């Protein structure tokens, strides 16, 4: 009965394994949403098929041997097959063939995914013909610079669909890892060197995900590592170009309209502007910014990458950022009254480049 009880657990384990493979299209690595993700997914399927195939074959042979060649008497000695060249060749050649089947597409994919030569191809103006995004990871937020477009933003990565987007990855403080699960595997962001790779975002898959993918930090970096999220807005090329144009048109900070927002802008200029820019121009190339760029804060889906962007959450974040992201560098850098927080909240909600 005890053995039977153990076997009863197998269906439950199978269901758990099946559910573990399910996920939302904006977050699941098992629902590829681009060329890179598809290549990596195909390799996972191939390697899994090979491993499962080996397990099945070995299990069948094991059961066959146990049933067919059971000792029928104590005096019977099974046929001795040690030193059989045929068997030794078989169980040597088969693993080699399996490794070759796995190695060929793996090596091919490795070289293809590592090819970032297009980043170095220059147009007549001296700029790269490819779309390049410089990603800088910070405790615990992300900055995205578009060098050819001369704009900087943070927390929301905006990309066009249907084409390669090239990334330069770097960290400001400790090692992080840049990962958009549905679109491609992770890559580390280091403080002492720049890693480069490319991704492609599929329009159909982006539509299925609601136009937004979730990005994560995949390297333990501190107490708020699990909260170091960002969002990826995948847009058709025309909409992406419009977003770029709207960002480039912001040459001066947006002026608040209501009296409360104007008071908030004054507080912001006195207490926050030293860390947070509200124009997208990159005034300090190759240097880390102290805090996220807030030019289009009002257009973002989330506050600090984790809270829904609404008035209540903005106020809660400003009152006590440590409660939501332990170890963040914003805690203790300012002292605002509730009235000032209300005013700054109204100002931040008005920072929009698109309606």
């Amino acid at each position: 009965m005890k053995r039977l009880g153990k076997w009863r657990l197998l269906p439950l384990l199978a269901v758990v394994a099946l559910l573990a493979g399910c996920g939302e299209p904006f977050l699941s690595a098992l629902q590829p949403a681009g060329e890179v993700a598809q290549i990596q997914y195909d390799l996972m399927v191939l390697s899994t098929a090979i491993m499962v195939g080996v397990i099945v074959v070995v299990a069948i042979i094991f059961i066959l041997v146990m049933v067919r060649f059971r000792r029928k008497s104590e005096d019977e000695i099974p046929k001795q097959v040690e030193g059989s060249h045929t068997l030794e060749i078989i169980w040597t050649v088969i693993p080699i063939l399996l490794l070759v089947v796995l190695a060929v597409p793996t090596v091919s994919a490795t070289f293809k995914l590592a090819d970032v030569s297009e980043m170095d191809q220059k147009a007549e103006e001296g700029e790269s013909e490819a779309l390049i995004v410089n990603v800088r990871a910070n405790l615990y937020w992300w900055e995205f610079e578009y060098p050819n477009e001369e704009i900087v933003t943070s927390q929301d990565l905006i990309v066009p669909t249907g084409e390669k987007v090239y990334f330069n990855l770097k960290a400001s403080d400790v090692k992080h890892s840049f990962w958009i699960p549905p679109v491609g595997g992770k890559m580390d962001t280091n403080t002492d060197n720049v890693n480069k790779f490319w991704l492609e975002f599929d329009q159909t898959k982006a539509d299925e995900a609601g136009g937004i993918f979730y990005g994560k930090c995949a390297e333990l970096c501190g107490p708020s590592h699990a909260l170091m999220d960002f969002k990826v807005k995948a847009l058709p090329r025309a909409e992406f170009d419009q977003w770029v144009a709207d960002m480039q048109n912001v040459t001066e900070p947006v002026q608040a309209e209501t009296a409360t927002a104007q008071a908030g802008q004054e507080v912001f200029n006195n207490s926050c502007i030293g860390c947070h820019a509200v124009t997208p121009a990159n005034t300090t190339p190759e240097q880390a910014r102290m805090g996220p760029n807030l030019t289009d804060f009002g257009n973002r889906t989330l506050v600090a990458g984790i809270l829904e962007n609404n008035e209540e959450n903005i106020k809660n974040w400003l009152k006590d950022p440590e409660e939501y992201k332990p170890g963040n560098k914003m805690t203790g850098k300012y002292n605002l009254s509730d009235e000032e927080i209300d005013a700054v909240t109204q100002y931040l909600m008005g920072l929009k480049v698109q309606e």
Side-chain angles (χ1 to χ4, degrees):
M1 290 299 293
K2 291 184 178 179
R3 291 182 179 179
L4 184 59
K6 293 180 179 179
W7 285 105
R8 287 175 178 172
L9 292 176
L10 288 180
L12 177 60
L13 293 176
V15 172
V16 171
L18 179 62
L19 293 178
C22 299
E24 298 291 347
F26 54 78
L27 187 60
S28 175
L30 300 181
Q31 299 188 43
E35 183 179 356
V36 173
Q38 189 63 57
I39 291 172
Q40 295 171 341
Y41 178 79
D42 291 342
L43 288 176
M44 287 192 294
V45 171
L46 176 62
S47 60
T48 301
I50 290 175
M51 289 185 289
V52 171
V54 169
I55 293 173
V56 170
V57 171
V58 171
I60 291 174
I61 294 175
F62 176 79
I63 295 172
L64 179 64
V65 170
M66 289 289 291
V67 173
R68 184 174 179 182
F69 299 101
R70 291 185 64 183
R71 178 185 290 186
K72 296 181 175 58
S73 68
E74 293 294 332
D75 299 328
E76 183 179 357
I77 299 177
K79 180 182 178 181
Q80 304 302 296
V81 294
E82 74 274 3
S84 172
H85 294 301
T86 301
L87 289 177
E88 290 177 354
I89 291 174
I90 290 175
W91 61 53
T92 299
V93 171
I94 290 178
I96 292 175
L97 293 177
L98 292 177
L99 287 176
V100 170
V101 170
L102 183 59
V104 171
T106 299
V107 172
S108 174
T110 298
F111 280 95
K112 181 176 182 178
L113 299 181
D115 182 11
V116 291
S117 57
E118 193 172 340
M119 296 178 70
D120 300 323
Q121 298 177 8
K122 305 294 183 181
E124 295 181 359
E125 299 81 8
E127 297 179 347
S128 172
E129 297 179 347
L131 175 60
I132 298 175
V133 181
N134 295 334
V135 178
R136 184 178 286 271
N138 309 267
L139 291 171
Y140 298 94
W141 57 279
W142 299 86
E143 178 182 271
F144 307 111
E145 176 194 1
Y146 302 75
N148 293 341
E149 291 75 17
E150 299 182 338
I151 56 177
V152 177
T153 186
S154 60
Q155 292 304 99
D156 278 13
L157 171 64
I158 315 297
V159 293
T161 56
E163 63 184 83
K164 291 182 178 179
V165 181
Y166 292 86
F167 296 89
N168 291 314
L169 306 178
K170 191 173 180 62
S172 298
D173 30 53
V174 300
K175 181 191 289 290
H176 302 276
S177 193
F178 180 82
W179 188 29
I180 309 172
V183 187
K186 68 176 184 175
M187 181 168 285
D188 287 349
T189 63
N190 302 317
T191 58
D192 52 354
N193 70 286
V194 176
N195 285 331
K196 301 181 179 183
F197 81 140
W198 61 272
L199 295 171
E200 185 263 335
F201 301 79
D202 181 82
Q203 181 62 63
T204 302
K205 296 295 185 179
D207 292 339
E208 293 176 2
I212 294 180
F213 297 108
Y214 280 40
K216 309 286 291 184
C217 174
E219 183 76 27
L220 181 60
C221 54
S224 288
H225 156 68
L227 303 174
M228 190 172 165
D229 296 355
F230 63 94
K231 297 296 172 286
V232 184
K233 293 182 179 179
L235 306 173
R237 183 70 202 201
E239 294 183 23
F240 173 78
D241 290 340
Q242 184 60 56
W243 174 80
V244 170
D246 291 339
M247 290 287 283
Q248 291 173 335
N249 288 335
V250 182
T251 57
E252 297 291 336
V254 174
Q255 296 301 309
E257 297 181 357
T258 67
T260 302
Q262 290 172 358
Q265 184 171 14
E266 183 177 353
V267 174
F268 184 92
N269 291 338
N270 292 330
S271 303
C272 312
I273 199 67
C275 297
H276 297 282
V278 287
T279 56
N282 185 11
T283 57
T284 54
E286 302 302 323
Q287 295 183 20
R289 260 62 63 174
M290 294 295 294
N293 186 295
L294 302 179
T295 301
D296 59 345
F297 180 85
N299 292 128
R300 295 176 188 170
T301 55
L302 297 176
V303 177
I306 55 174
L307 303 172
E308 183 181 350
N309 193 348
N310 58 46
E311 183 175 354
E312 180 181 0
N313 284 335
I314 298 174
K315 291 180 181 179
N316 291 337
W317 168 258
L318 292 175
K319 289 178 181 178
D320 188 6
E322 190 69 13
E323 178 181 350
Y324 300 96
K325 274 192 176 181
N328 74 86
K329 294 184 177 180
M330 185 171 167
T331 300
K333 296 298 190 297
Y334 58 90
N335 184 19
L336 302 179
S337 66
D338 289 345
E339 183 178 345
E340 290 173 324
I341 288 177
D342 292 345
V344 171
T345 298
Q346 292 300 316
Y347 170 63
L348 293 176
M349 293 175 64
L351 293 178
K352 298 181 179 181
V353 298
Q354 292 180 322
E355 294 298 333

